[in-house]
């Protein structure tokens, strides 16, 4: 084994980010994937069918139903001796575990990688995405711990399958425990992987009025995002925040509605192929990056768009 990729999942299915993480990892060589869960079978089988996966190792214990960073570190430390790289998606979920692992192993870490040049040279954004830095990581005998900003990579395709091997989980002295995990429960596409995203900003004005953004998104089958100002004002939950301190999105089309276009917001939408801005201020910075702009009151424009989309669908 040399490259180990941690498969992120929700306990039932493999994360949509996984084929994108694999697109990055397979550039480094032969990939072994680690699936840890209290019920590994469906996730391991799905992972084995993703292009570039040579082998799947499973760790199955009840503790992995809600794994803590300590549990991850104990188990990854065990596997690290055979690895040149240990890789996961750059998400809140992996952030704690990878940083702890790097500290435990005294190993170098490369975070938010958006391009792989070779085994020791990567590209990552800095200064809120304003600049991309090429970094060299000298690892010596230690594995390089890496998180991948998966929105920068195109998902790999399927493959026939590969070997799945049961590993031996190591128990951990757990200092904290999550007693309940509750999914926010939405039928909308996942924000990080969606092809279409509609985001609302402070201009939307209130939680009640944010329903218009959701209605617009639903008319398109899009995911819903928000600016930090909208999240801070309580218009929507903070897992919808897009930007430097929120989610990074790379949809085909990104609608920014009532969003001014602060650099911290733009840091999260650099990968969007087309940006459409709706703003009543013709001088809003968002128009500087938008491919299409509509200047006007969102409360007049958005209902009109919803109506037109409805008519298109019906035709
Ligand atoms: P505003 O800047 O207030 O813009 C509202 C816009 O709505 C205006 O352009 C206005 O013309 C328009 N508008 C108002 N009414 C209407 C109407 N009726 N019709 C049409 N348009 C209308 N921000 C993020 O988004 N994501 C981040 O991850 C993030 N991280 C940050 C990290 C740090 C360290 C810091 C310091 C800031 C961060 N911010 C982030 C905050 C960021 O700087 C901005 O404050 C925020 O993005 C502004 O959100 P907004 O565009 O919704 O609000």
């Amino acid at each position: 084994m040399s490259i180990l990729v941690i498969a992120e999942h929700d306990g039932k299915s493999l994360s949509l980010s996984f084929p994108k993480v694999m697109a990055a990892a397979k550039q480094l060589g032969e990939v072994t994937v680690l699936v840890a869960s209290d019920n590994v079978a469906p996730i391991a089988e799905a992972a084995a069918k993703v292009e570039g996966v040579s082998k799947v190792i499973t760790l199955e214990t009840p503790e992995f139903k809600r794994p803590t960073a300590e549990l991850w570190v104990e188990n990854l430390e065990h596997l690290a001796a055979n690895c040149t790289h240990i890789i996961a998606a750059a998400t809140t979920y992996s952030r704690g575990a990878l940083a702890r692992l790097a500290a435990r192993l005294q190993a170098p870490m490369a975070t938010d990688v958006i391009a792989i040049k070779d085994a020791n040279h990567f590209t990552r954004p800095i200064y809120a995405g304003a600049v991309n830095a090429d970094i060299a990581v000298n690892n010596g005998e230690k594995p390089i711990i890496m998180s991948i900003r998966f929105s920068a990579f195109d998902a790999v395709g399927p493959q026939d399958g590969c070997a799945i091997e049961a590993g031996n989980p190591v128990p951990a002295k757990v200092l904290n425990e999550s007693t309940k995990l509750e999914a926010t429960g939405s039928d909308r596409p996942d924000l990080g992987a969606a092809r279409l995203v509609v985001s609302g900003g402070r201009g939307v004005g209130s939680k009640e009025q944010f329903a218009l953004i959701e209605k617009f998104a639903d008319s398109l089958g899009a995911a819903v995002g928000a600016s930090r100002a909208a999240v801070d004002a309580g218009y929507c939950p903070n897992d919808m925040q897009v930007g430097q301190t929120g989610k990074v999105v790379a949809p085909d089309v990104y609608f920014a509605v009532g969003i001014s276009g602060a650099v911290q917001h733009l840091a999260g939408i650099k990968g969007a192929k087309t940006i459409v801005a709706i703003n009543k201020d013709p001088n809003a910075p968002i128009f500087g990056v938008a491919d299409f702009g509509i200047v006007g009151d969102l409360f007049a424009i958005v209902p009109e768009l919803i109506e037109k989309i409805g008519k298109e669908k019906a035709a």
Side-chain angles (χ1 to χ4, degrees), residues 7 31 62 65 90 136 145 181 188 199 207 234 249 306:
V31 175
K65 185 175 170 65
I145 314 298
L181 276 185
R188 297 196 181 96
S199 283
K207 188 177 177 181
V249 299
I306 295 171

Coordinates of all heavy atoms in Angstrom, one line a residue, residues 7 31 62 65 90 136 145 181 188 199 207 234 249 306:
A7 N -12.4 7.2 2.7 CA -13.7 7.4 2.0 C -14.7 8.1 2.9 O -15.0 7.5 4.0 CB -14.2 6.1 1.5
V31 N -3.9 3.3 -5.5 CA -4.7 3.8 -4.3 C -5.4 2.7 -3.6 O -6.1 1.9 -4.1 CB -5.8 4.9 -4.8 CG1 -6.6 5.3 -3.7 CG2 -5.1 6.1 -5.5
P62 N -18.7 -0.6 16.2 CA -19.8 0.3 16.5 C -19.3 1.7 16.7 O -20.0 2.7 16.4 CB -20.4 -0.3 17.8 CG -19.9 -1.7 17.8 CD -18.6 -1.8 17.1
K65 N -19.6 4.4 14.0 CA -20.9 5.0 13.7 C -20.8 6.5 13.8 O -21.3 7.3 13.0 CB -22.0 4.5 14.6 CG -23.4 4.9 14.2 CD -24.4 4.2 15.1 CE -25.8 4.7 15.1 NZ -26.5 4.6 13.8
A90 N -11.3 17.8 1.6 CA -11.1 18.9 2.6 C -12.5 19.3 3.1 O -13.2 20.1 2.4 CB -10.5 20.1 1.8
A136 N 6.1 22.8 -2.2 CA 6.9 21.6 -2.2 C 6.9 21.0 -0.8 O 7.1 21.7 0.2 CB 8.3 21.9 -2.6
I145 N 0.3 14.1 4.6 CA -1.1 14.1 4.9 C -1.7 15.2 4.1 O -1.3 16.4 4.1 CB -1.3 14.4 6.5 CG1 -0.4 13.6 7.4 CG2 -2.8 14.3 6.9 CD1 -0.5 12.2 7.3
L181 N -26.2 12.5 16.0 CA -26.0 13.1 14.7 C -27.3 13.3 14.0 O -28.0 12.3 13.8 CB -25.0 12.3 13.8 CG -23.5 12.4 14.0 CD1 -22.8 11.6 13.0 CD2 -23.1 13.9 14.0
R188 N -32.9 18.6 -1.7 CA -32.1 19.3 -2.7 C -30.7 18.7 -2.9 O -30.2 18.0 -2.0 CB -32.0 20.8 -2.2 CG -33.3 21.5 -2.1 CD -33.1 23.0 -2.0 NE -34.4 23.6 -1.9 CZ -34.9 24.0 -0.7 NH1 -34.3 23.8 0.4 NH2 -36.1 24.5 -0.7
S199 N -27.8 31.2 -4.6 CA -27.4 31.7 -3.3 C -28.1 33.0 -3.0 O -28.1 33.9 -3.9 CB -25.9 31.9 -3.2 OG -25.3 30.7 -3.0
K207 N -35.5 36.0 7.0 CA -35.7 34.6 6.9 C -36.9 34.2 6.1 O -36.9 33.3 5.3 CB -35.8 34.0 8.3 CG -35.8 32.5 8.5 CD -35.9 32.1 9.9 CE -35.9 30.6 9.9 NZ -36.0 30.1 11.3
G234 N -29.4 35.1 10.2 CA -30.4 34.0 10.6 C -31.4 33.7 9.5 O -32.4 33.1 9.7
V249 N -17.8 25.9 -3.8 CA -18.7 25.2 -4.8 C -18.1 25.4 -6.2 O -17.4 26.3 -6.5 CB -20.2 25.8 -4.8 CG1 -20.8 25.6 -3.4 CG2 -20.2 27.3 -5.1
I306 N -39.0 32.7 -11.9 CA -39.6 31.4 -11.5 C -40.8 31.1 -12.4 O -41.0 30.0 -12.9 CB -40.1 31.5 -10.0 CG1 -38.9 31.6 -9.1 CG2 -41.0 30.3 -9.7 CD1 -39.2 31.9 -7.7

